[in-house]
């Protein structure tokens, strides 16, 4: 289970563990000690953020060393909109010393520019920069970074000394911001013949969503005689479910094809608990979630009638034969219907009467979606 935390108004998810940080600091300590040789270096931490890095790092440093801190302070610039960061507190004489700046994170490089500014007139023997985290996409300066722990993407992080408006510094691991989700993701649910495909066609237009029907993707693959199609056909012809991993991999690939979607209507997926778990993971990786499972409720005998009549024109072999149809409905009750509990437990299950005119049913579904 992924534990998301809330600091002020924002949500953050676990990103880099305490163990990983520890390993990286160990590696940096050894690397730096080797380079420094017999010198006694002065490690300079930049407050506030670097207090944890410095503390953990120097405990791992295998040889004698000195430690001091300077602090980043904000001043209002000449223009009131301008926020100038100045480093203060460098009182020690560092003439002739090997100085290693220890930073928690380097992003734009502005603090680093300030470091170079204040050290310009200090007659140090050498000035080196070490940082635990580095955001290459954000870095806009040319100063050399001598030791880099972990390169990370340009997303806001907290923990291990780093804060979001004061909070989060005490966390022993790093959390990354969860982007506000803009997607609406619906699972359209119900037994075969409930009208999921028909309704999805209307809803995708109305709400500008991408409709993914796993049944349609399988049939497309069968028509094009792909390996996936041939495999799926052997199950579909009997009215059985295609194995989970095959279906999950295919669904992941379909979602990845639509990276800028406003959201998805999943039709015919998930059909098992394993598929529902996989869908949660996939949504989570997109900093998103399933908003609702909307189920079309229709009596079995009406389903059989509808499917037999669809079979006269659809060309679907699994619609033509009553025993196969009944097997598909049985598969639904044996393996799929349990998902009602899965989504009910998250207060995301909405049942809708699936008998009536197509328009009436669209209205019923829209009423649920508009309230989400
Ligand atoms: P459908 O078009 O949704 O009625 O699906 C037709 C057939 O495709 C089903 O009877 C299954 O054999 C297969 N199928 C579609 N979606 C899935 C899924 N999520 N998991 C396993 N099999 C599926």
């Amino acid at each position: 289970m992924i534990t998301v935390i809330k600091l002020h108004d924002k949500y953050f998810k676990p990103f880099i563990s305490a163990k990983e940080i520890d390993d990286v600091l160990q590696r940096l300590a050894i690397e730096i000690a080797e380079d420094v040789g017999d010198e006694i270096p002065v490690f300079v931490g930049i407050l506030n953020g670097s207090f944890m890095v410095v503390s953990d790092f120097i405990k791992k440093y295998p040889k004698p060393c000195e430690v001091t801190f300077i602090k980043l302070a904000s001043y209002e610039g000449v223009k009131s909109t301008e926020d100038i960061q100045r480093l203060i507190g460098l009182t020690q004489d560092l003439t002739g010393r090997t100085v290693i700046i220890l930073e928690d994170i380097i992003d734009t490089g502005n603090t680093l520019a300030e470091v170079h500014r204040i050290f310009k007139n200090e007659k140090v023997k050498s000035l080196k920069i070490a940082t635990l985290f580095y955001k290459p996409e954000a870095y806009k300066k040319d100063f050399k970074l001598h030791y880099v722990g972990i390169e990370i993407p340009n997303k806001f992080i907290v923990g291990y000394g780093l804060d979001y408006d004061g909070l989060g510094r005490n966390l022993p691991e790093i959390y990354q911001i969860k982007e506000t989700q803009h997607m609406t993701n619906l699972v359209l649910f119900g037994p075969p013949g409930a009208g999921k495909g028909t309704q999805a066609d209307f809803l995708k237009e109305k709400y500008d969503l991408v409709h993914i029907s796993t049944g349609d993707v399988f049939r497309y693959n069968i028509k094009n005689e792909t390996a996936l199609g041939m495999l799926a056909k052997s199950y579909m012809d009997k009215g059985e479910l295609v194995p989970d991993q095959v279906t999950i991999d295919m669904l992941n690939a379909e979602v990845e094809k639509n990276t800028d979607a406003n959201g998805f209507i999943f039709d015919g997926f998930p059909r098992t608990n394993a598929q529902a778990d996989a869908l949660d993971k996939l949504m989570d990786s997109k900093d998103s979630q399933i908003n609702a499972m909307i189920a079309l409720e229709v009596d079995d005998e009406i389903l059989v009638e509808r499917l037999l009549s669809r079979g006269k024109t659809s060309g679907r072999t699994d619609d033509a034969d009553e025993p196969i149809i009944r097997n598909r409905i049985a598969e639904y009750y044996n393996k799929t219907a349990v998902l009602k509990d899965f989504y009910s437990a998250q207060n995301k299950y909405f049942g809708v009467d699936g008998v009536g005119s197509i328009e009436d049913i669209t209205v019923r579904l829209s009423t649920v979606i508009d309230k989400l």
Side-chain angles (χ1 to χ4, degrees):
M1 195 62 201
I2 296 169
T3 14
V4 170
I5 57 164
K6 189 179 184 200
L7 300 174
H8 298 296
D9 56 331
K10 300 215 183 313
Y11 291 89
F12 297 85
K13 58 182 178 181
F15 180 48
I16 296 171
S17 71
K19 168 82 170 67
E20 230 176 307
I21 294 171
D22 203 64
D23 291 348
V24 168
L25 291 180
Q26 185 67 52
R27 167 171 66 75
L28 288 177
I30 290 167
E31 199 182 328
I32 293 173
E34 272 173 16
D35 287 358
V36 166
D38 295 331
E39 301 261 349
I40 295 184
V42 184
F43 290 111
V44 180
I46 298 184
L47 293 174
N48 292 329
S50 74
F51 69 96
M52 277 216 197
V53 181
V54 175
S55 162
D56 287 345
F57 174 87
I58 59 170
K59 280 179 267 179
K60 296 182 192 309
Y61 195 75
K63 290 189 281 188
C65 64
E66 290 178 31
V67 187
T68 188
F69 288 93
I70 48 181
K71 183 175 165 70
L72 201 56
S74 286
Y75 292 91
E76 219 169 76
V78 189
K79 293 176 234 146
S80 61
T81 48
E82 203 178 32
D83 183 30
I84 294 180
Q85 302 262 318
R86 283 281 182 256
L87 282 168
I88 54 172
L90 181 60
T91 48
Q92 203 173 332
D93 180 15
L94 296 172
T95 307
R97 303 297 301 272
T98 294
V99 174
I100 298 172
I101 303 291
L102 282 182
E103 264 286 43
D104 43 355
I105 183 162
I106 291 181
D107 45 28
T108 59
N110 287 343
T111 306
L112 206 52
E114 179 60 10
V115 166
H116 282 88
R117 191 188 69 80
I118 66 164
F119 274 92
K120 204 170 56 199
N121 300 321
E122 300 288 323
K123 297 186 174 50
V124 298
K125 184 175 174 196
S126 72
L127 177 69
K128 295 213 167 138
I129 312 295
T131 183
L132 175 57
F133 300 116
Y134 168 48
K135 289 181 175 173
E137 294 157 40
Y139 191 57
K140 295 196 185 67
K141 302 280 197 272
D142 295 321
F143 306 114
K144 183 173 165 65
L145 307 180
H146 302 81
Y147 305 100
V148 171
I150 310 177
E151 289 194 5
I152 56 170
N154 191 13
K155 284 194 180 179
F156 194 80
I157 57 170
V158 292
Y160 201 69
L162 293 156
D163 74 311
Y164 168 52
D165 201 7
L167 295 181
R169 293 194 198 275
N170 57 321
L171 300 165
E173 59 278 292
I174 294 288
Y175 286 73
Q176 187 184 57
I177 196 154
K178 253 173 99 77
E179 255 122 50
T180 42
Q181 57 133 325
H182 304 292
M183 289 206 275
T184 303
N185 299 305
L186 308 173
V187 172
L188 209 49
F189 194 64
K196 300 186 292 288
T198 308
Q199 291 300 330
D201 280 341
F202 290 105
L203 297 176
K204 73 173 182 200
E205 297 298 334
K206 182 160 178 192
Y207 295 99
D208 191 20
L209 302 173
V210 173
H211 172 208
I212 299 181
S213 153
T214 40
D216 284 352
V217 182
F218 283 134
R219 282 184 286 278
Y220 177 85
N221 277 277
I222 293 173
K223 204 173 84 196
N224 290 292
E225 297 180 352
T226 67
L228 175 64
M230 293 307 100
L231 175 69
K233 188 173 168 26
S234 60
Y235 296 92
M236 290 169 75
D237 281 349
K238 289 180 264 172
E240 289 169 10
L241 294 187
V242 177
D244 278 335
Q245 204 50 54
V246 177
T247 311
I248 290 167
D249 290 348
M250 179 187 85
L251 190 275
N252 285 350
E254 287 299 311
V255 168
E256 289 310 327
K257 283 183 200 162
N258 295 283
T259 43
D260 44 5
N262 288 328
F264 294 91
I265 300 176
F266 297 103
D267 155 12
F269 190 97
R271 265 174 151 109
T272 63
N273 272 317
Q275 292 182 12
D277 283 333
L279 187 57
D280 271 359
K281 285 209 186 77
L282 179 66
M283 291 293 109
D284 198 72
S285 76
K286 311 234 156 286
D287 281 348
S288 194
Q289 58 169 334
I290 294 295
N291 302 85
M293 163 181 267
I294 311 180
L296 289 167
E297 292 162 348
V298 181
D299 271 354
D300 291 358
E301 293 315 308
I302 300 178
L303 296 172
V304 176
E305 246 172 69
R306 281 189 190 176
L307 290 171
L308 280 172
S309 112
R310 180 171 81 183
K312 289 179 192 145
T313 52
S314 71
R316 280 179 59 167
T317 43
D318 60 349
D319 283 349
D321 185 68
E322 189 167 331
I324 295 176
I325 289 174
R326 292 207 181 266
N327 196 35
R328 286 163 61 199
I329 296 173
E331 285 276 88
Y332 173 80
Y333 286 111
N334 290 337
K335 296 178 183 163
T336 307
V338 292
L339 293 182
K340 178 176 176 176
D341 300 337
F342 184 96
Y343 288 96
S344 294
Q346 304 176 35
N347 293 321
K348 289 180 180 170
Y349 180 89
F350 302 89
V352 164
D353 181 5
V355 183
S357 73
I358 292 175
E359 296 77 20
D360 284 348
I361 297 169
T362 309
V363 171
R364 289 174 206 157
L365 293 170
S366 302
T367 308
V368 172
I369 297 169
D370 292 339
K371 282 196 203 133
L372 290 175

